Amino acid sequence: MVCPGSGPIPPHWLFLVAAICGSSASASSDGVAVTLRAVTLRTEGSETRAGATFAFRVGSAWLPEEELCAEALAGQTIAVTRQLQAWPSHVRLRAKRHMPPMLDAWGLQEVSLLHKGTGNSIVVLEACTADHCSFSAGSPHWIY
């Protein structure tokens, strides 16, 4: 997905980048409280022991990456809230890097953002259904 004026989104490779279009959320002088909500699939192997990081893009700049979770169980909902200067145009999720390297895919049922001031939510990654929930290298529902 590409939002008007946002430029191209990098291809899916080891992370999920999503453009957030059409938000009517406005920021006050104090900014906007945004909750990122990620729901882990209940599919076998969807949990992660490696964890994940996230970052928001606000304006033309990516904010620093932060830990989203150290691990997540199948079916678990992870939620983090951040106070941002404005509503983000993009969100990025990545598998955490470990030394020595650890390959651990995390299956995501859905990802959404919640505007804490209005209660409005934006679906960033729509819920997968049936066969689309199984692991595949090109699936946006799996990060690794």
Side-chain angles (χ1 to χ4, degrees), residues 29-66:
S29 60
D30 295 330
V32 60
V34 178
T35 298
L36 169 61
R37 182 177 171 268
V39 181
T40 306
L41 286 166
R42 294 186 183 277
T43 306
E44 183 178 342
S46 61
E47 69 281 348
T48 179
R49 298 266 184 246
T53 61
F54 74 98
F56 290 115
R57 183 175 172 178
V58 177
S60 62
W62 282 100
L63 301 179
E65 287 202 13
E66 298 183 55

Short mmCIF file of all heavy atoms in Angstrom, two decimals, residues 29-66:
data_model
loop_
_atom_site.label_atom_id
_atom_site.label_comp_id
_atom_site.label_asym_id
_atom_site.label_seq_id
_atom_site.Cartn_x
_atom_site.Cartn_y
_atom_site.Cartn_z
N SER A 29 -1.74 19.88 20.86
CA SER A 29 -0.42 20.46 21.12
C SER A 29 0.45 19.51 21.93
O SER A 29 1.67 19.62 21.92
CB SER A 29 -0.58 21.80 21.85
OG SER A 29 -1.25 21.58 23.08
N ASP A 30 -0.17 18.56 22.61
CA ASP A 30 0.58 17.56 23.38
C ASP A 30 0.92 16.34 22.54
O ASP A 30 1.50 15.39 23.02
CB ASP A 30 -0.25 17.09 24.59
CG ASP A 30 -0.48 18.22 25.59
OD1 ASP A 30 0.39 19.11 25.69
OD2 ASP A 30 -1.52 18.19 26.26
N GLY A 31 0.51 16.33 21.27
CA GLY A 31 0.73 15.19 20.41
C GLY A 31 -0.46 14.25 20.45
O GLY A 31 -1.58 14.65 20.77
N VAL A 32 -0.20 12.99 20.15
CA VAL A 32 -1.27 11.99 20.10
C VAL A 32 -0.76 10.69 20.72
O VAL A 32 0.37 10.28 20.49
CB VAL A 32 -1.74 11.77 18.64
CG1 VAL A 32 -0.62 11.29 17.75
CG2 VAL A 32 -2.91 10.83 18.57
N ALA A 33 -1.60 10.08 21.55
CA ALA A 33 -1.27 8.79 22.14
C ALA A 33 -1.73 7.70 21.18
O ALA A 33 -2.90 7.63 20.83
CB ALA A 33 -1.94 8.63 23.50
N VAL A 34 -0.79 6.86 20.75
CA VAL A 34 -1.06 5.81 19.78
C VAL A 34 -0.72 4.47 20.40
O VAL A 34 0.38 4.29 20.93
CB VAL A 34 -0.21 6.01 18.50
CG1 VAL A 34 -0.45 4.90 17.50
CG2 VAL A 34 -0.50 7.37 17.88
N THR A 35 -1.66 3.53 20.33
CA THR A 35 -1.41 2.17 20.81
C THR A 35 -1.24 1.25 19.61
O THR A 35 -2.12 1.19 18.75
CB THR A 35 -2.56 1.66 21.70
OG1 THR A 35 -2.65 2.50 22.85
CG2 THR A 35 -2.33 0.22 22.14
N LEU A 36 -0.12 0.56 19.56
CA LEU A 36 0.14 -0.47 18.56
C LEU A 36 -0.28 -1.80 19.18
O LEU A 36 0.15 -2.14 20.27
CB LEU A 36 1.63 -0.50 18.20
CG LEU A 36 2.14 -1.68 17.37
CD1 LEU A 36 1.46 -1.73 16.02
CD2 LEU A 36 3.64 -1.59 17.23
N ARG A 37 -1.14 -2.53 18.48
CA ARG A 37 -1.67 -3.80 18.98
C ARG A 37 -1.38 -4.89 17.95
O ARG A 37 -1.78 -4.78 16.79
CB ARG A 37 -3.18 -3.66 19.20
CG ARG A 37 -3.85 -4.86 19.76
CD ARG A 37 -5.35 -4.54 19.98
NE ARG A 37 -6.09 -5.71 20.32
CZ ARG A 37 -6.72 -6.51 19.47
NH1 ARG A 37 -6.71 -6.21 18.18
NH2 ARG A 37 -7.35 -7.58 19.88
N ALA A 38 -0.66 -5.93 18.38
CA ALA A 38 -0.33 -7.06 17.52
C ALA A 38 -0.86 -8.33 18.18
O ALA A 38 -0.58 -8.58 19.35
CB ALA A 38 1.18 -7.17 17.32
N VAL A 39 -1.62 -9.12 17.43
CA VAL A 39 -2.19 -10.36 17.93
C VAL A 39 -1.48 -11.53 17.26
O VAL A 39 -1.44 -11.61 16.03
CB VAL A 39 -3.71 -10.43 17.65
CG1 VAL A 39 -4.30 -11.73 18.20
CG2 VAL A 39 -4.42 -9.22 18.23
N THR A 40 -0.92 -12.42 18.08
CA THR A 40 -0.22 -13.59 17.57
C THR A 40 -1.22 -14.63 17.09
O THR A 40 -2.26 -14.85 17.72
CB THR A 40 0.66 -14.21 18.68
OG1 THR A 40 1.53 -13.20 19.20
CG2 THR A 40 1.50 -15.36 18.17
N LEU A 41 -0.90 -15.28 15.98
CA LEU A 41 -1.73 -16.37 15.47
C LEU A 41 -1.82 -17.51 16.49
O LEU A 41 -1.00 -17.61 17.39
CB LEU A 41 -1.11 -16.95 14.20
CG LEU A 41 -1.22 -16.12 12.93
CD1 LEU A 41 -0.27 -16.66 11.86
CD2 LEU A 41 -2.65 -16.14 12.42
N ARG A 42 -2.80 -18.36 16.31
CA ARG A 42 -2.92 -19.57 17.12
C ARG A 42 -2.38 -20.79 16.36
O ARG A 42 -2.46 -21.91 16.82
CB ARG A 42 -4.37 -19.80 17.53
CG ARG A 42 -4.88 -18.73 18.45
CD ARG A 42 -6.28 -19.04 18.96
NE ARG A 42 -6.77 -17.97 19.79
CZ ARG A 42 -6.50 -17.83 21.09
NH1 ARG A 42 -5.73 -18.69 21.70
NH2 ARG A 42 -7.00 -16.82 21.76
N THR A 43 -1.81 -20.55 15.18
CA THR A 43 -1.25 -21.59 14.33
C THR A 43 -0.01 -22.19 14.98
O THR A 43 0.75 -21.47 15.63
CB THR A 43 -0.87 -20.98 12.97
OG1 THR A 43 -2.00 -20.33 12.42
CG2 THR A 43 -0.37 -22.02 12.00
N GLU A 44 0.21 -23.48 14.78
CA GLU A 44 1.40 -24.12 15.33
C GLU A 44 2.66 -23.40 14.87
O GLU A 44 2.82 -23.08 13.69
CB GLU A 44 1.46 -25.59 14.87
CG GLU A 44 2.62 -26.34 15.45
CD GLU A 44 2.65 -27.81 15.04
OE1 GLU A 44 1.62 -28.32 14.58
OE2 GLU A 44 3.72 -28.41 15.17
N GLY A 45 3.56 -23.10 15.80
CA GLY A 45 4.82 -22.43 15.48
C GLY A 45 4.72 -20.92 15.37
O GLY A 45 5.70 -20.27 15.03
N SER A 46 3.56 -20.34 15.67
CA SER A 46 3.41 -18.89 15.49
C SER A 46 4.00 -18.08 16.64
O SER A 46 4.21 -16.88 16.48
CB SER A 46 1.93 -18.54 15.34
OG SER A 46 1.21 -18.92 16.49
N GLU A 47 4.28 -18.70 17.77
CA GLU A 47 4.86 -17.97 18.89
C GLU A 47 6.30 -17.55 18.55
O GLU A 47 6.89 -18.06 17.62
CB GLU A 47 4.85 -18.83 20.15
CG GLU A 47 5.78 -20.01 20.14
CD GLU A 47 5.27 -21.21 19.36
OE1 GLU A 47 4.09 -21.28 19.00
OE2 GLU A 47 6.09 -22.11 19.10
N THR A 48 6.84 -16.61 19.32
CA THR A 48 8.23 -16.21 19.13
C THR A 48 8.96 -16.22 20.46
O THR A 48 8.44 -15.76 21.48
CB THR A 48 8.36 -14.82 18.47
OG1 THR A 48 9.76 -14.52 18.34
CG2 THR A 48 7.70 -13.71 19.26
N ARG A 49 10.16 -16.75 20.44
CA ARG A 49 11.07 -16.70 21.58
C ARG A 49 12.11 -15.61 21.35
O ARG A 49 12.81 -15.22 22.26
CB ARG A 49 11.75 -18.04 21.80
CG ARG A 49 10.81 -19.15 22.11
CD ARG A 49 10.66 -19.33 23.61
NE ARG A 49 9.82 -20.48 23.89
CZ ARG A 49 8.63 -20.37 24.47
NH1 ARG A 49 8.15 -19.19 24.79
NH2 ARG A 49 7.92 -21.44 24.72
N ALA A 50 12.22 -15.16 20.10
CA ALA A 50 13.21 -14.14 19.75
C ALA A 50 12.73 -12.73 20.04
O ALA A 50 13.52 -11.83 20.26
CB ALA A 50 13.58 -14.25 18.27
N GLY A 51 11.41 -12.52 20.01
CA GLY A 51 10.88 -11.18 20.24
C GLY A 51 10.86 -10.33 18.98
O GLY A 51 11.22 -10.79 17.90
N ALA A 52 10.43 -9.08 19.16
CA ALA A 52 10.30 -8.19 18.00
C ALA A 52 10.49 -6.74 18.44
O ALA A 52 10.33 -6.40 19.61
CB ALA A 52 8.93 -8.36 17.36
N THR A 53 10.81 -5.90 17.46
CA THR A 53 10.93 -4.46 17.68
C THR A 53 9.92 -3.76 16.78
O THR A 53 9.38 -4.34 15.85
CB THR A 53 12.34 -3.95 17.35
OG1 THR A 53 12.62 -4.20 15.97
CG2 THR A 53 13.39 -4.61 18.22
N PHE A 54 9.67 -2.47 17.08
CA PHE A 54 8.77 -1.67 16.27
C PHE A 54 9.33 -0.26 16.15
O PHE A 54 10.14 0.18 16.98
CB PHE A 54 7.36 -1.63 16.86
CG PHE A 54 7.23 -0.74 18.08
CD1 PHE A 54 6.74 0.55 17.97
CD2 PHE A 54 7.62 -1.20 19.33
CE1 PHE A 54 6.64 1.36 19.08
CE2 PHE A 54 7.52 -0.40 20.45
CZ PHE A 54 7.02 0.89 20.33
N ALA A 55 8.88 0.45 15.13
CA ALA A 55 9.21 1.86 14.97
C ALA A 55 8.07 2.53 14.20
O ALA A 55 7.43 1.89 13.37
CB ALA A 55 10.52 2.04 14.20
N PHE A 56 7.82 3.78 14.53
CA PHE A 56 6.84 4.58 13.81
C PHE A 56 7.57 5.57 12.92
O PHE A 56 8.66 6.05 13.26
CB PHE A 56 5.97 5.39 14.78
CG PHE A 56 5.02 4.56 15.59
CD1 PHE A 56 5.14 4.49 16.97
CD2 PHE A 56 3.97 3.88 14.99
CE1 PHE A 56 4.25 3.75 17.73
CE2 PHE A 56 3.07 3.13 15.74
CZ PHE A 56 3.22 3.07 17.12
N ARG A 57 6.94 5.91 11.80
CA ARG A 57 7.43 7.01 10.97
C ARG A 57 6.45 8.16 11.16
O ARG A 57 5.25 8.03 10.89
CB ARG A 57 7.48 6.60 9.51
CG ARG A 57 8.04 7.69 8.62
CD ARG A 57 8.19 7.19 7.22
NE ARG A 57 8.55 8.28 6.33
CZ ARG A 57 8.78 8.14 5.06
NH1 ARG A 57 8.70 6.94 4.50
NH2 ARG A 57 9.09 9.17 4.32
N VAL A 58 6.96 9.28 11.64
CA VAL A 58 6.15 10.47 11.85
C VAL A 58 6.76 11.58 11.00
O VAL A 58 7.95 11.88 11.12
CB VAL A 58 6.12 10.89 13.34
CG1 VAL A 58 5.33 12.17 13.52
CG2 VAL A 58 5.52 9.77 14.20
N GLY A 59 5.95 12.15 10.12
CA GLY A 59 6.50 13.11 9.15
C GLY A 59 7.42 12.37 8.21
O GLY A 59 7.08 11.31 7.70
N SER A 60 8.63 12.87 8.02
CA SER A 60 9.57 12.23 7.10
C SER A 60 10.63 11.41 7.83
O SER A 60 11.56 10.92 7.20
CB SER A 60 10.26 13.30 6.25
OG SER A 60 10.99 14.18 7.09
N ALA A 61 10.49 11.24 9.15
CA ALA A 61 11.53 10.55 9.91
C ALA A 61 11.01 9.30 10.63
O ALA A 61 9.92 9.30 11.19
CB ALA A 61 12.11 11.51 10.96
N TRP A 62 11.85 8.25 10.59
CA TRP A 62 11.57 7.07 11.39
C TRP A 62 12.05 7.33 12.82
O TRP A 62 13.16 7.82 13.02
CB TRP A 62 12.31 5.85 10.84
CG TRP A 62 11.64 5.25 9.64
CD1 TRP A 62 11.99 5.44 8.34
CD2 TRP A 62 10.51 4.39 9.64
NE1 TRP A 62 11.14 4.73 7.52
CE2 TRP A 62 10.22 4.07 8.30
CE3 TRP A 62 9.71 3.83 10.64
CZ2 TRP A 62 9.17 3.24 7.93
CZ3 TRP A 62 8.66 3.00 10.28
CH2 TRP A 62 8.40 2.71 8.94
N LEU A 63 11.22 7.03 13.79
CA LEU A 63 11.63 7.13 15.19
C LEU A 63 12.49 5.92 15.53
O LEU A 63 12.47 4.91 14.82
CB LEU A 63 10.39 7.19 16.09
CG LEU A 63 9.45 8.37 15.81
CD1 LEU A 63 8.24 8.31 16.74
CD2 LEU A 63 10.16 9.69 15.95
N PRO A 64 13.29 6.00 16.61
CA PRO A 64 14.15 4.86 16.97
C PRO A 64 13.34 3.58 17.22
O PRO A 64 12.21 3.64 17.72
CB PRO A 64 14.82 5.32 18.26
CG PRO A 64 14.73 6.81 18.25
CD PRO A 64 13.46 7.13 17.52
N GLU A 65 13.94 2.45 16.88
CA GLU A 65 13.30 1.17 17.14
C GLU A 65 13.25 0.92 18.64
O GLU A 65 14.17 1.28 19.37
CB GLU A 65 14.06 0.03 16.45
CG GLU A 65 13.84 0.04 14.98
CD GLU A 65 14.11 -1.32 14.33
OE1 GLU A 65 14.24 -2.33 15.03
OE2 GLU A 65 14.17 -1.32 13.10
N GLU A 66 12.14 0.31 19.07
CA GLU A 66 11.95 -0.04 20.47
C GLU A 66 11.50 -1.50 20.55
O GLU A 66 10.96 -2.04 19.59
CB GLU A 66 10.87 0.83 21.10
CG GLU A 66 11.17 2.30 21.13
CD GLU A 66 10.07 3.07 21.84
OE1 GLU A 66 9.77 2.73 23.01
OE2 GLU A 66 9.50 3.97 21.23
#
